[in-house]
Amino acid sequence: MNERYIKWYTPWLGHEFEMLTFGNGGGLPLILFPTSGARYYENKDFGLVGAIAWYIDNGRVTVYCPDAIDLQSIYNKSIHPADRMRTHNAFENVIVRDVFDLARRECSAHRVAVCGASLGAYHAANIAFRHPDAVSHLISLSGSFDISSFSTAITTTTFTSTTRMNTCRTCPTHGNTTT
């Protein structure tokens, strides 16, 4: 099985980001998120990538295992909850604008599949629901979807407004709108 380690600087986070890919860039591009607090190599170490090796080796799927920044974002209790959400939104930009773009280009696909377990399932579902035009399949395994404990001191209204503002600031659909 072809395995590649990729590391690049991303302006979305302002630092380097790491990822493993498995396959030759053919078939369905599958973004496989790690569980809460884990790193990009977790799905390989736990044997999840090996379990689908036949599909990878036969060009049916190419797997992209991006890093996660949960410890710097939603689990980071040392920063204000609004900053946790801003950091999480920056992570989402890395996934949608860097990882998705690479996967679509390598696999000659218009959309990607997303998958994860636990908090990785949250990341997969959140991105799939927020970017349905970019995601063709969602596999959510034992998802943890109640993130209210990560946003203490922020009301639902504030969280929604912050999320909308951060995603629409450069959104081609909404121009430079910040509401």
Side-chain angles (χ1 to χ4, degrees):
M1 175 172 21
N2 182 31
E3 176 182 332
R4 290 180 295 147
Y5 167 78
I6 303 172
K7 183 177 184 178
W8 73 96
Y9 174 85
T10 178
W12 301 108
L13 292 171
H15 60 75
E16 291 182 327
F17 193 79
E18 298 173 280
M19 178 170 67
L20 285 177
T21 67
F22 301 90
N24 295 315
L28 178 70
L30 173 64
I31 314 304
L32 184 54
F33 293 96
T35 60
S36 56
R39 300 291 311 274
Y40 62 94
Y41 45 79
E42 178 191 51
N43 288 309
K44 175 188 174 187
D45 291 351
F46 284 175
L48 295 174
V49 174
I52 59 171
W54 184 89
Y55 296 96
I56 295 168
D57 290 339
N58 287 285
R60 304 257 176 115
V61 65
T62 298
V63 178
Y64 298 83
C65 297
D67 212 351
I69 62 162
D70 303 329
L71 299 177
Q72 294 89 37
S73 61
I74 57 180
Y75 283 132
N76 187 354
K77 301 290 185 175
S78 69
I79 62 175
H80 190 275
D83 292 327
R84 289 183 221 157
M85 294 304 112
R86 278 194 223 27
T87 305
H88 173 76
N89 285 337
F91 167 73
E92 184 176 318
N93 278 322
V94 172
I95 299 302
V96 173
R97 302 184 195 301
D98 292 350
V99 176
F100 280 16
D101 287 352
L102 174 68
R104 289 187 297 227
R105 187 173 57 252
E106 287 185 347
C107 295
S108 300
H110 295 290
R111 296 166 63 188
V112 302
V114 292
C115 178
S118 184
L119 192 60
Y122 166 79
H123 290 311
N126 183 50
I127 288 174
F129 296 144
R130 290 184 63 173
H131 303 278
D133 56 321
V135 177
S136 61
H137 299 80
L138 165 63
I139 304 168
S140 176
L141 307 167
S142 300
S144 175
F145 298 105
D146 181 5
I147 64 164
S148 60
S149 64
F150 303 129
S151 59
T152 48
I154 293 185
T155 65
T156 304
T157 305
T158 304
F159 177 75
T160 303
S161 297
T162 301
T163 302
R164 188 177 303 122
M165 180 182 71
N166 287 339
T167 56
C168 290
R169 193 169 284 153
T170 58
C171 174
T173 304
H174 299 106
N176 291 326
T177 308
T178 57
T179 58

